[in-house]
Amino acid sequence: MINFVNDNDNQLKSNTSTKVWGSSSMFGLIDCNNFYASCERVFKPSLNGVPIVVLSNNDGCVIARSNEAKALGIPMGEPAFKLKELIETNKVVVFSSNYTLYGDMSYRVMNTISKFVPDMEVYSIDEAFLLFDGFENIDLKSYGENMVKTVHRNTGIPVSLGMAPTRTLAKVANKFAKKHKKYNGVCIIDTDEKREKALKLTDIGDVWGIGRRYSKTLRYYSVNTAWDFTQRTKSWIRHTMGVVGERTWLELQGTPCLEMETPKSKKSICTSRSFGEKLTELAPVSEAVSNFAASCAEKLRKQHSYACVLTVFIHTNPFATNQPQYYNQTLMQLSVPTNDTTELINYALRGLKSIFVKGYLYKKAGVIVSEIVPERPLQGDLFDLRDREKFSKIMCVMDNLNASYGKQKVKIAAQGFDRKWKLKNEMLSPCYSTKLGDAMEINVE
């Protein structure tokens, strides 16, 4: 494997004739290494060096792998039942996805990173873009290494950092930081010479913004690496891939086209789940839909928004071709925009009853709230008799209690207690960091 790190130096050497970008205009991309597997290892250090896979909802498919699992040839998206022999033979440790744990660990990682850089955009649960603006007199390599070490020390999660004059190049740099230990977790592309070497070693399919379809098209035209891509003319790129491709081309040339984005309120929110077992009766499906509506309401309140439209859908398993199939949904315009859990559950159950048909084995249901608007100003209704101020206070108290004592400690009766519809997660790890009952016990003799 070729590595463009100098054998005697963690950073690339650049000659004085090449273009050098100022550190004040550098972007960073920090990414957690094998995040889900790393979260499990934080609380079970004995798993270090052991192959780990994490499964999707209902323990269906592989959605995360440790490096050891990748080395065994376990592919992403592969159904777990097809890997049973491989998993048993190689003693692979399997976990159900624990999004409560992963979400909390993500918050801890991002909170630590925010102490180092004022401008930060959380891009996903395990990665964030950073803007190093005003860092002209700081050694970015040392600063970045300190950041990487601090995140690992504070959270136990290993991370890698790529820095470059554009977000797309920062993504490229991040891959090298993650792949090659000589970088000590931080790779910087700050000269034309480094950029050229990096792009020649980057497969076109690994470039951020170039999907599978465009990758196939580009290979047809002998564009196999990121460097090949930059050697095409701007007009050819525009004709082949449109304005999005042109932006990627400019970013790979070192010209920033993608700025840091501030967090935006969601325009629609969907909460849906596949059931752990197929349901035939209205009662358990109603309980599930009530929980989905409650989750949507909570998310609306967190971003201080109201929804104007609610949609409920249910369907059977489309892959069970030997069973009768049914899919239906209903959309309801709310008389007054709301984020009230009780009100949204009422609408959701009303919608479910209108589309539920007995005699089918239901596999999945969901609730979508859309046409989301800010809490203020509220567009009321002349005939609305609901005491909205009172219910708003109730929702505030409920949120505060759940924040203090644990998720769903206080909930609406319609959400039920049996949860017969819940996901299949037979290999779920404890929620070490969010549930007092799951906190680790240390015996000191």
PDB file of all heavy atoms in Angstrom, residues 96-132:
ATOM      1  N   SER A  96     -26.598  -5.651  19.377  1.00  0.00           N
ATOM      2  CA  SER A  96     -27.745  -4.927  18.824  1.00  0.00           C
ATOM      3  C   SER A  96     -27.416  -3.440  18.898  1.00  0.00           C
ATOM      4  O   SER A  96     -26.681  -2.998  19.778  1.00  0.00           O
ATOM      5  CB  SER A  96     -29.007  -5.228  19.636  1.00  0.00           C
ATOM      6  OG  SER A  96     -29.279  -6.611  19.667  1.00  0.00           O
ATOM      7  N   SER A  97     -27.950  -2.661  17.967  1.00  0.00           N
ATOM      8  CA  SER A  97     -27.659  -1.227  17.960  1.00  0.00           C
ATOM      9  C   SER A  97     -28.249  -0.558  19.197  1.00  0.00           C
ATOM     10  O   SER A  97     -29.438  -0.679  19.467  1.00  0.00           O
ATOM     11  CB  SER A  97     -28.213  -0.577  16.685  1.00  0.00           C
ATOM     12  OG  SER A  97     -29.546  -0.978  16.443  1.00  0.00           O
ATOM     13  N   ASN A  98     -27.393   0.159  19.923  1.00  0.00           N
ATOM     14  CA  ASN A  98     -27.790   0.837  21.169  1.00  0.00           C
ATOM     15  C   ASN A  98     -27.683   2.344  20.928  1.00  0.00           C
ATOM     16  O   ASN A  98     -26.702   2.980  21.310  1.00  0.00           O
ATOM     17  CB  ASN A  98     -26.867   0.405  22.317  1.00  0.00           C
ATOM     18  CG  ASN A  98     -27.318   0.931  23.664  1.00  0.00           C
ATOM     19  OD1 ASN A  98     -28.094   1.875  23.748  1.00  0.00           O
ATOM     20  ND2 ASN A  98     -26.828   0.332  24.727  1.00  0.00           N
ATOM     21  N   TYR A  99     -28.713   2.912  20.286  1.00  0.00           N
ATOM     22  CA  TYR A  99     -28.632   4.316  19.878  1.00  0.00           C
ATOM     23  C   TYR A  99     -28.643   5.277  21.062  1.00  0.00           C
ATOM     24  O   TYR A  99     -28.151   6.396  20.949  1.00  0.00           O
ATOM     25  CB  TYR A  99     -29.766   4.639  18.901  1.00  0.00           C
ATOM     26  CG  TYR A  99     -29.660   3.871  17.604  1.00  0.00           C
ATOM     27  CD1 TYR A  99     -30.633   2.949  17.234  1.00  0.00           C
ATOM     28  CD2 TYR A  99     -28.559   4.040  16.776  1.00  0.00           C
ATOM     29  CE1 TYR A  99     -30.527   2.223  16.051  1.00  0.00           C
ATOM     30  CE2 TYR A  99     -28.445   3.316  15.589  1.00  0.00           C
ATOM     31  CZ  TYR A  99     -29.427   2.415  15.233  1.00  0.00           C
ATOM     32  OH  TYR A  99     -29.303   1.695  14.072  1.00  0.00           O
ATOM     33  N   THR A 100     -29.188   4.843  22.182  1.00  0.00           N
ATOM     34  CA  THR A 100     -29.148   5.691  23.376  1.00  0.00           C
ATOM     35  C   THR A 100     -27.707   5.890  23.830  1.00  0.00           C
ATOM     36  O   THR A 100     -27.268   7.008  24.114  1.00  0.00           O
ATOM     37  CB  THR A 100     -29.976   5.067  24.509  1.00  0.00           C
ATOM     38  OG1 THR A 100     -31.326   4.888  24.072  1.00  0.00           O
ATOM     39  CG2 THR A 100     -29.960   5.951  25.742  1.00  0.00           C
ATOM     40  N   LEU A 101     -26.957   4.807  23.886  1.00  0.00           N
ATOM     41  CA  LEU A 101     -25.546   4.880  24.267  1.00  0.00           C
ATOM     42  C   LEU A 101     -24.743   5.660  23.237  1.00  0.00           C
ATOM     43  O   LEU A 101     -23.958   6.555  23.586  1.00  0.00           O
ATOM     44  CB  LEU A 101     -24.976   3.468  24.419  1.00  0.00           C
ATOM     45  CG  LEU A 101     -23.473   3.382  24.697  1.00  0.00           C
ATOM     46  CD1 LEU A 101     -23.128   4.002  26.036  1.00  0.00           C
ATOM     47  CD2 LEU A 101     -22.997   1.928  24.630  1.00  0.00           C
ATOM     48  N   TYR A 102     -24.950   5.351  21.958  1.00  0.00           N
ATOM     49  CA  TYR A 102     -24.164   5.995  20.907  1.00  0.00           C
ATOM     50  C   TYR A 102     -24.440   7.496  20.850  1.00  0.00           C
ATOM     51  O   TYR A 102     -23.534   8.306  20.644  1.00  0.00           O
ATOM     52  CB  TYR A 102     -24.456   5.365  19.543  1.00  0.00           C
ATOM     53  CG  TYR A 102     -24.303   3.859  19.507  1.00  0.00           C
ATOM     54  CD1 TYR A 102     -25.038   3.074  18.621  1.00  0.00           C
ATOM     55  CD2 TYR A 102     -23.426   3.203  20.377  1.00  0.00           C
ATOM     56  CE1 TYR A 102     -24.901   1.699  18.594  1.00  0.00           C
ATOM     57  CE2 TYR A 102     -23.288   1.821  20.352  1.00  0.00           C
ATOM     58  CZ  TYR A 102     -24.035   1.074  19.459  1.00  0.00           C
ATOM     59  OH  TYR A 102     -23.914  -0.289  19.429  1.00  0.00           O
ATOM     60  N   GLY A 103     -25.703   7.869  21.045  1.00  0.00           N
ATOM     61  CA  GLY A 103     -26.059   9.285  21.022  1.00  0.00           C
ATOM     62  C   GLY A 103     -25.407  10.055  22.158  1.00  0.00           C
ATOM     63  O   GLY A 103     -24.916  11.179  21.976  1.00  0.00           O
ATOM     64  N   ASP A 104     -25.380   9.449  23.351  1.00  0.00           N
ATOM     65  CA  ASP A 104     -24.768  10.117  24.496  1.00  0.00           C
ATOM     66  C   ASP A 104     -23.259  10.229  24.321  1.00  0.00           C
ATOM     67  O   ASP A 104     -22.665  11.268  24.637  1.00  0.00           O
ATOM     68  CB  ASP A 104     -25.089   9.351  25.778  1.00  0.00           C
ATOM     69  CG  ASP A 104     -24.532  10.048  27.016  1.00  0.00           C
ATOM     70  OD1 ASP A 104     -24.993  11.162  27.318  1.00  0.00           O
ATOM     71  OD2 ASP A 104     -23.630   9.484  27.655  1.00  0.00           O
ATOM     72  N   MET A 105     -22.624   9.184  23.819  1.00  0.00           N
ATOM     73  CA  MET A 105     -21.176   9.232  23.590  1.00  0.00           C
ATOM     74  C   MET A 105     -20.832  10.254  22.503  1.00  0.00           C
ATOM     75  O   MET A 105     -19.816  10.944  22.587  1.00  0.00           O
ATOM     76  CB  MET A 105     -20.660   7.843  23.202  1.00  0.00           C
ATOM     77  CG  MET A 105     -20.770   6.802  24.308  1.00  0.00           C
ATOM     78  SD  MET A 105     -19.910   7.276  25.828  1.00  0.00           S
ATOM     79  CE  MET A 105     -18.213   7.231  25.282  1.00  0.00           C
ATOM     80  N   SER A 106     -21.696  10.372  21.507  1.00  0.00           N
ATOM     81  CA  SER A 106     -21.496  11.382  20.471  1.00  0.00           C
ATOM     82  C   SER A 106     -21.525  12.784  21.066  1.00  0.00           C
ATOM     83  O   SER A 106     -20.696  13.642  20.731  1.00  0.00           O
ATOM     84  CB  SER A 106     -22.571  11.250  19.390  1.00  0.00           C
ATOM     85  OG  SER A 106     -22.493  12.310  18.451  1.00  0.00           O
ATOM     86  N   TYR A 107     -22.490  13.023  21.950  1.00  0.00           N
ATOM     87  CA  TYR A 107     -22.589  14.328  22.606  1.00  0.00           C
ATOM     88  C   TYR A 107     -21.313  14.633  23.376  1.00  0.00           C
ATOM     89  O   TYR A 107     -20.804  15.760  23.342  1.00  0.00           O
ATOM     90  CB  TYR A 107     -23.795  14.342  23.550  1.00  0.00           C
ATOM     91  CG  TYR A 107     -23.824  15.557  24.446  1.00  0.00           C
ATOM     92  CD1 TYR A 107     -24.263  16.796  23.968  1.00  0.00           C
ATOM     93  CD2 TYR A 107     -23.389  15.473  25.775  1.00  0.00           C
ATOM     94  CE1 TYR A 107     -24.265  17.915  24.786  1.00  0.00           C
ATOM     95  CE2 TYR A 107     -23.397  16.582  26.592  1.00  0.00           C
ATOM     96  CZ  TYR A 107     -23.834  17.806  26.091  1.00  0.00           C
ATOM     97  OH  TYR A 107     -23.823  18.919  26.908  1.00  0.00           O
ATOM     98  N   ARG A 108     -20.766  13.655  24.066  1.00  0.00           N
ATOM     99  CA  ARG A 108     -19.548  13.863  24.850  1.00  0.00           C
ATOM    100  C   ARG A 108     -18.358  14.185  23.941  1.00  0.00           C
ATOM    101  O   ARG A 108     -17.529  15.039  24.259  1.00  0.00           O
ATOM    102  CB  ARG A 108     -19.257  12.615  25.704  1.00  0.00           C
ATOM    103  CG  ARG A 108     -20.302  12.377  26.794  1.00  0.00           C
ATOM    104  CD  ARG A 108     -20.186  10.974  27.381  1.00  0.00           C
ATOM    105  NE  ARG A 108     -21.287  10.720  28.306  1.00  0.00           N
ATOM    106  CZ  ARG A 108     -21.157  10.646  29.627  1.00  0.00           C
ATOM    107  NH1 ARG A 108     -19.979  10.819  30.189  1.00  0.00           N
ATOM    108  NH2 ARG A 108     -22.209  10.399  30.386  1.00  0.00           N
ATOM    109  N   VAL A 109     -18.287  13.475  22.818  1.00  0.00           N
ATOM    110  CA  VAL A 109     -17.194  13.739  21.864  1.00  0.00           C
ATOM    111  C   VAL A 109     -17.302  15.151  21.307  1.00  0.00           C
ATOM    112  O   VAL A 109     -16.328  15.921  21.298  1.00  0.00           O
ATOM    113  CB  VAL A 109     -17.228  12.707  20.715  1.00  0.00           C
ATOM    114  CG1 VAL A 109     -16.293  13.131  19.586  1.00  0.00           C
ATOM    115  CG2 VAL A 109     -16.839  11.328  21.218  1.00  0.00           C
ATOM    116  N   MET A 110     -18.502  15.529  20.837  1.00  0.00           N
ATOM    117  CA  MET A 110     -18.689  16.840  20.229  1.00  0.00           C
ATOM    118  C   MET A 110     -18.489  17.958  21.246  1.00  0.00           C
ATOM    119  O   MET A 110     -17.960  19.034  20.909  1.00  0.00           O
ATOM    120  CB  MET A 110     -20.086  16.935  19.603  1.00  0.00           C
ATOM    121  CG  MET A 110     -20.346  15.915  18.500  1.00  0.00           C
ATOM    122  SD  MET A 110     -19.090  15.926  17.186  1.00  0.00           S
ATOM    123  CE  MET A 110     -19.532  14.453  16.266  1.00  0.00           C
ATOM    124  N   ASN A 111     -18.886  17.732  22.468  1.00  0.00           N
ATOM    125  CA  ASN A 111     -18.709  18.734  23.517  1.00  0.00           C
ATOM    126  C   ASN A 111     -17.225  18.981  23.779  1.00  0.00           C
ATOM    127  O   ASN A 111     -16.794  20.127  23.982  1.00  0.00           O
ATOM    128  CB  ASN A 111     -19.399  18.277  24.801  1.00  0.00           C
ATOM    129  CG  ASN A 111     -19.410  19.347  25.872  1.00  0.00           C
ATOM    130  OD1 ASN A 111     -19.805  20.491  25.621  1.00  0.00           O
ATOM    131  ND2 ASN A 111     -18.972  18.994  27.064  1.00  0.00           N
ATOM    132  N   THR A 112     -16.413  17.930  23.753  1.00  0.00           N
ATOM    133  CA  THR A 112     -14.964  18.085  23.939  1.00  0.00           C
ATOM    134  C   THR A 112     -14.345  18.837  22.772  1.00  0.00           C
ATOM    135  O   THR A 112     -13.517  19.743  22.960  1.00  0.00           O
ATOM    136  CB  THR A 112     -14.295  16.706  24.086  1.00  0.00           C
ATOM    137  OG1 THR A 112     -14.854  16.012  25.199  1.00  0.00           O
ATOM    138  CG2 THR A 112     -12.788  16.846  24.299  1.00  0.00           C
ATOM    139  N   ILE A 113     -14.754  18.499  21.556  1.00  0.00           N
ATOM    140  CA  ILE A 113     -14.211  19.158  20.365  1.00  0.00           C
ATOM    141  C   ILE A 113     -14.533  20.643  20.376  1.00  0.00           C
ATOM    142  O   ILE A 113     -13.706  21.486  19.989  1.00  0.00           O
ATOM    143  CB  ILE A 113     -14.780  18.509  19.085  1.00  0.00           C
ATOM    144  CG1 ILE A 113     -14.323  17.051  18.976  1.00  0.00           C
ATOM    145  CG2 ILE A 113     -14.347  19.284  17.841  1.00  0.00           C
ATOM    146  CD1 ILE A 113     -15.026  16.271  17.883  1.00  0.00           C
ATOM    147  N   SER A 114     -15.740  20.987  20.827  1.00  0.00           N
ATOM    148  CA  SER A 114     -16.173  22.392  20.813  1.00  0.00           C
ATOM    149  C   SER A 114     -15.301  23.290  21.684  1.00  0.00           C
ATOM    150  O   SER A 114     -15.287  24.508  21.500  1.00  0.00           O
ATOM    151  CB  SER A 114     -17.636  22.501  21.266  1.00  0.00           C
ATOM    152  OG  SER A 114     -17.762  22.155  22.634  1.00  0.00           O
ATOM    153  N   LYS A 115     -14.548  22.687  22.608  1.00  0.00           N
ATOM    154  CA  LYS A 115     -13.659  23.487  23.470  1.00  0.00           C
ATOM    155  C   LYS A 115     -12.431  23.974  22.702  1.00  0.00           C
ATOM    156  O   LYS A 115     -11.748  24.909  23.128  1.00  0.00           O
ATOM    157  CB  LYS A 115     -13.206  22.647  24.669  1.00  0.00           C
ATOM    158  CG  LYS A 115     -14.340  22.093  25.535  1.00  0.00           C
ATOM    159  CD  LYS A 115     -15.079  23.189  26.266  1.00  0.00           C
ATOM    160  CE  LYS A 115     -15.970  22.628  27.377  1.00  0.00           C
ATOM    161  NZ  LYS A 115     -17.020  21.722  26.919  1.00  0.00           N
ATOM    162  N   PHE A 116     -12.135  23.353  21.560  1.00  0.00           N
ATOM    163  CA  PHE A 116     -10.932  23.684  20.802  1.00  0.00           C
ATOM    164  C   PHE A 116     -11.188  24.664  19.656  1.00  0.00           C
ATOM    165  O   PHE A 116     -10.308  25.446  19.297  1.00  0.00           O
ATOM    166  CB  PHE A 116     -10.317  22.408  20.210  1.00  0.00           C
ATOM    167  CG  PHE A 116      -9.613  21.552  21.221  1.00  0.00           C
ATOM    168  CD1 PHE A 116     -10.312  20.627  21.973  1.00  0.00           C
ATOM    169  CD2 PHE A 116      -8.248  21.668  21.424  1.00  0.00           C
ATOM    170  CE1 PHE A 116      -9.672  19.827  22.905  1.00  0.00           C
ATOM    171  CE2 PHE A 116      -7.587  20.876  22.351  1.00  0.00           C
ATOM    172  CZ  PHE A 116      -8.304  19.963  23.103  1.00  0.00           C
ATOM    173  N   VAL A 117     -12.389  24.588  19.054  1.00  0.00           N
ATOM    174  CA  VAL A 117     -12.677  25.387  17.865  1.00  0.00           C
ATOM    175  C   VAL A 117     -14.037  26.072  18.037  1.00  0.00           C
ATOM    176  O   VAL A 117     -15.036  25.397  18.320  1.00  0.00           O
ATOM    177  CB  VAL A 117     -12.715  24.504  16.597  1.00  0.00           C
ATOM    178  CG1 VAL A 117     -12.935  25.351  15.359  1.00  0.00           C
ATOM    179  CG2 VAL A 117     -11.411  23.727  16.456  1.00  0.00           C
ATOM    180  N   PRO A 118     -14.101  27.396  17.840  1.00  0.00           N
ATOM    181  CA  PRO A 118     -15.375  28.101  18.037  1.00  0.00           C
ATOM    182  C   PRO A 118     -16.393  27.815  16.948  1.00  0.00           C
ATOM    183  O   PRO A 118     -17.592  27.823  17.201  1.00  0.00           O
ATOM    184  CB  PRO A 118     -14.965  29.579  18.026  1.00  0.00           C
ATOM    185  CG  PRO A 118     -13.668  29.614  17.282  1.00  0.00           C
ATOM    186  CD  PRO A 118     -12.981  28.326  17.578  1.00  0.00           C
ATOM    187  N   ASP A 119     -15.917  27.567  15.710  1.00  0.00           N
ATOM    188  CA  ASP A 119     -16.828  27.312  14.580  1.00  0.00           C
ATOM    189  C   ASP A 119     -16.843  25.831  14.273  1.00  0.00           C
ATOM    190  O   ASP A 119     -15.866  25.266  13.769  1.00  0.00           O
ATOM    191  CB  ASP A 119     -16.395  28.106  13.345  1.00  0.00           C
ATOM    192  CG  ASP A 119     -16.508  29.596  13.557  1.00  0.00           C
ATOM    193  OD1 ASP A 119     -17.550  30.042  14.066  1.00  0.00           O
ATOM    194  OD2 ASP A 119     -15.551  30.317  13.237  1.00  0.00           O
ATOM    195  N   MET A 120     -17.983  25.196  14.537  1.00  0.00           N
ATOM    196  CA  MET A 120     -18.090  23.739  14.411  1.00  0.00           C
ATOM    197  C   MET A 120     -19.455  23.376  13.850  1.00  0.00           C
ATOM    198  O   MET A 120     -20.478  23.940  14.238  1.00  0.00           O
ATOM    199  CB  MET A 120     -17.870  23.106  15.787  1.00  0.00           C
ATOM    200  CG  MET A 120     -18.130  21.633  15.878  1.00  0.00           C
ATOM    201  SD  MET A 120     -17.801  21.091  17.587  1.00  0.00           S
ATOM    202  CE  MET A 120     -18.467  19.430  17.518  1.00  0.00           C
ATOM    203  N   GLU A 121     -19.487  22.428  12.926  1.00  0.00           N
ATOM    204  CA  GLU A 121     -20.734  21.932  12.347  1.00  0.00           C
ATOM    205  C   GLU A 121     -20.801  20.427  12.541  1.00  0.00           C
ATOM    206  O   GLU A 121     -20.015  19.680  11.947  1.00  0.00           O
ATOM    207  CB  GLU A 121     -20.811  22.264  10.859  1.00  0.00           C
ATOM    208  CG  GLU A 121     -22.042  21.691  10.153  1.00  0.00           C
ATOM    209  CD  GLU A 121     -21.918  21.718   8.650  1.00  0.00           C
ATOM    210  OE1 GLU A 121     -21.187  22.576   8.114  1.00  0.00           O
ATOM    211  OE2 GLU A 121     -22.559  20.859   7.997  1.00  0.00           O
ATOM    212  N   VAL A 122     -21.700  19.969  13.400  1.00  0.00           N
ATOM    213  CA  VAL A 122     -21.875  18.532  13.607  1.00  0.00           C
ATOM    214  C   VAL A 122     -22.551  17.965  12.368  1.00  0.00           C
ATOM    215  O   VAL A 122     -23.709  18.270  12.080  1.00  0.00           O
ATOM    216  CB  VAL A 122     -22.713  18.248  14.867  1.00  0.00           C
ATOM    217  CG1 VAL A 122     -22.920  16.747  15.036  1.00  0.00           C
ATOM    218  CG2 VAL A 122     -22.033  18.832  16.100  1.00  0.00           C
ATOM    219  N   TYR A 123     -21.816  17.141  11.627  1.00  0.00           N
ATOM    220  CA  TYR A 123     -22.299  16.648  10.337  1.00  0.00           C
ATOM    221  C   TYR A 123     -23.087  15.351  10.474  1.00  0.00           C
ATOM    222  O   TYR A 123     -24.031  15.102   9.734  1.00  0.00           O
ATOM    223  CB  TYR A 123     -21.107  16.445   9.397  1.00  0.00           C
ATOM    224  CG  TYR A 123     -21.476  16.073   7.995  1.00  0.00           C
ATOM    225  CD1 TYR A 123     -22.135  16.991   7.162  1.00  0.00           C
ATOM    226  CD2 TYR A 123     -21.188  14.809   7.489  1.00  0.00           C
ATOM    227  CE1 TYR A 123     -22.478  16.639   5.862  1.00  0.00           C
ATOM    228  CE2 TYR A 123     -21.527  14.458   6.196  1.00  0.00           C
ATOM    229  CZ  TYR A 123     -22.176  15.373   5.390  1.00  0.00           C
ATOM    230  OH  TYR A 123     -22.522  15.031   4.108  1.00  0.00           O
ATOM    231  N   SER A 124     -22.685  14.505  11.410  1.00  0.00           N
ATOM    232  CA  SER A 124     -23.394  13.257  11.671  1.00  0.00           C
ATOM    233  C   SER A 124     -23.085  12.832  13.097  1.00  0.00           C
ATOM    234  O   SER A 124     -22.394  13.535  13.827  1.00  0.00           O
ATOM    235  CB  SER A 124     -22.975  12.163  10.673  1.00  0.00           C
ATOM    236  OG  SER A 124     -21.627  11.793  10.886  1.00  0.00           O
ATOM    237  N   ILE A 125     -23.579  11.679  13.498  1.00  0.00           N
ATOM    238  CA  ILE A 125     -23.395  11.237  14.880  1.00  0.00           C
ATOM    239  C   ILE A 125     -21.925  11.055  15.221  1.00  0.00           C
ATOM    240  O   ILE A 125     -21.526  11.174  16.381  1.00  0.00           O
ATOM    241  CB  ILE A 125     -24.173   9.928  15.131  1.00  0.00           C
ATOM    242  CG1 ILE A 125     -24.245   9.615  16.633  1.00  0.00           C
ATOM    243  CG2 ILE A 125     -23.560   8.758  14.356  1.00  0.00           C
ATOM    244  CD1 ILE A 125     -25.144   8.458  16.982  1.00  0.00           C
ATOM    245  N   ASP A 126     -21.067  10.809  14.216  1.00  0.00           N
ATOM    246  CA  ASP A 126     -19.664  10.520  14.527  1.00  0.00           C
ATOM    247  C   ASP A 126     -18.665  11.417  13.795  1.00  0.00           C
ATOM    248  O   ASP A 126     -17.460  11.130  13.790  1.00  0.00           O
ATOM    249  CB  ASP A 126     -19.354   9.054  14.212  1.00  0.00           C
ATOM    250  CG  ASP A 126     -19.478   8.732  12.734  1.00  0.00           C
ATOM    251  OD1 ASP A 126     -20.109   9.519  12.003  1.00  0.00           O
ATOM    252  OD2 ASP A 126     -18.946   7.685  12.310  1.00  0.00           O
ATOM    253  N   GLU A 127     -19.110  12.517  13.197  1.00  0.00           N
ATOM    254  CA  GLU A 127     -18.155  13.406  12.534  1.00  0.00           C
ATOM    255  C   GLU A 127     -18.642  14.852  12.552  1.00  0.00           C
ATOM    256  O   GLU A 127     -19.834  15.130  12.630  1.00  0.00           O
ATOM    257  CB  GLU A 127     -17.891  12.955  11.092  1.00  0.00           C
ATOM    258  CG  GLU A 127     -19.100  12.916  10.204  1.00  0.00           C
ATOM    259  CD  GLU A 127     -18.791  12.392   8.811  1.00  0.00           C
ATOM    260  OE1 GLU A 127     -17.635  12.501   8.368  1.00  0.00           O
ATOM    261  OE2 GLU A 127     -19.717  11.862   8.162  1.00  0.00           O
ATOM    262  N   ALA A 128     -17.669  15.756  12.487  1.00  0.00           N
ATOM    263  CA  ALA A 128     -17.979  17.182  12.526  1.00  0.00           C
ATOM    264  C   ALA A 128     -16.960  17.951  11.691  1.00  0.00           C
ATOM    265  O   ALA A 128     -15.777  17.591  11.624  1.00  0.00           O
ATOM    266  CB  ALA A 128     -17.958  17.698  13.966  1.00  0.00           C
ATOM    267  N   PHE A 129     -17.432  18.995  11.035  1.00  0.00           N
ATOM    268  CA  PHE A 129     -16.548  19.914  10.316  1.00  0.00           C
ATOM    269  C   PHE A 129     -16.134  21.043  11.258  1.00  0.00           C
ATOM    270  O   PHE A 129     -16.939  21.516  12.069  1.00  0.00           O
ATOM    271  CB  PHE A 129     -17.259  20.506   9.089  1.00  0.00           C
ATOM    272  CG  PHE A 129     -17.308  19.570   7.915  1.00  0.00           C
ATOM    273  CD1 PHE A 129     -18.475  18.911   7.588  1.00  0.00           C
ATOM    274  CD2 PHE A 129     -16.178  19.362   7.138  1.00  0.00           C
ATOM    275  CE1 PHE A 129     -18.526  18.046   6.505  1.00  0.00           C
ATOM    276  CE2 PHE A 129     -16.217  18.498   6.047  1.00  0.00           C
ATOM    277  CZ  PHE A 129     -17.387  17.841   5.738  1.00  0.00           C
ATOM    278  N   LEU A 130     -14.896  21.472  11.132  1.00  0.00           N
ATOM    279  CA  LEU A 130     -14.350  22.539  11.962  1.00  0.00           C
ATOM    280  C   LEU A 130     -13.790  23.628  11.062  1.00  0.00           C
ATOM    281  O   LEU A 130     -13.348  23.360   9.944  1.00  0.00           O
ATOM    282  CB  LEU A 130     -13.234  22.009  12.868  1.00  0.00           C
ATOM    283  CG  LEU A 130     -13.469  20.664  13.572  1.00  0.00           C
ATOM    284  CD1 LEU A 130     -12.213  20.223  14.294  1.00  0.00           C
ATOM    285  CD2 LEU A 130     -14.636  20.776  14.533  1.00  0.00           C
ATOM    286  N   LEU A 131     -13.819  24.874  11.536  1.00  0.00           N
ATOM    287  CA  LEU A 131     -13.220  25.973  10.790  1.00  0.00           C
ATOM    288  C   LEU A 131     -12.114  26.590  11.643  1.00  0.00           C
ATOM    289  O   LEU A 131     -12.374  27.128  12.723  1.00  0.00           O
ATOM    290  CB  LEU A 131     -14.268  27.037  10.451  1.00  0.00           C
ATOM    291  CG  LEU A 131     -13.741  28.281   9.703  1.00  0.00           C
ATOM    292  CD1 LEU A 131     -13.122  27.877   8.366  1.00  0.00           C
ATOM    293  CD2 LEU A 131     -14.858  29.288   9.485  1.00  0.00           C
ATOM    294  N   PHE A 132     -10.878  26.470  11.159  1.00  0.00           N
ATOM    295  CA  PHE A 132      -9.734  27.048  11.870  1.00  0.00           C
ATOM    296  C   PHE A 132      -9.485  28.449  11.319  1.00  0.00           C
ATOM    297  O   PHE A 132      -8.645  28.667  10.448  1.00  0.00           O
ATOM    298  CB  PHE A 132      -8.505  26.150  11.685  1.00  0.00           C
ATOM    299  CG  PHE A 132      -8.639  24.809  12.336  1.00  0.00           C
ATOM    300  CD1 PHE A 132      -9.148  23.722  11.629  1.00  0.00           C
ATOM    301  CD2 PHE A 132      -8.295  24.623  13.659  1.00  0.00           C
ATOM    302  CE1 PHE A 132      -9.284  22.481  12.225  1.00  0.00           C
ATOM    303  CE2 PHE A 132      -8.431  23.388  14.282  1.00  0.00           C
ATOM    304  CZ  PHE A 132      -8.923  22.313  13.556  1.00  0.00           C
TER     305      PHE A 132
END
